[in-house]
Amino acid sequence: MSARKRRSYAAEYKVEASHRVIDTGRTISEVARELGIDPGMLSVWVKDERRRVGAAAATGDEP
């Protein structure tokens, strides 16, 4: 029996998926279902992106 191959996602894809949640106010579950990805994984991406945007705003930079 072979192990499942782990999928990897480009940073741009993660940011775009995160902003579908952040900018639209839709739920993580709804966006994850639409994209066909795991909601837990998208949740981590959203949390990371919110942190990145917050850090950029705090220093006056563009995210």
Side-chain angles (χ1 to χ4, degrees), residues 17-48:
S18 298
H19 279 278
R20 285 190 185 195
V21 174
I22 296 167
D23 297 340
T24 65
R26 293 164 54 203
T27 65
I28 289 173
S29 296
E30 185 179 353
V31 173
R33 190 171 31 257
E34 175 184 293
L35 297 174
I37 60 176
D38 182 68
M41 182 171 56
L42 179 56
S43 175
V44 170
W45 296 352
V46 169
K47 183 175 76 172
D48 291 346

Side-chain angles (χ1 to χ4, degrees), residues 49-63:
E49 182 62 12
R50 284 184 172 142
R51 189 177 311 137
R52 188 181 73 81
V53 169
T59 60
D61 293 335
E62 280 290 314

Side-chain angles (χ1 to χ4, degrees), residues 5-19:
K5 186 172 180 179
R6 229 179 140 142
R7 292 183 62 182
S8 62
Y9 298 93
E12 294 84 10
Y13 181 80
K14 294 177 182 182
V15 170
E16 183 182 318
S18 298
H19 279 278

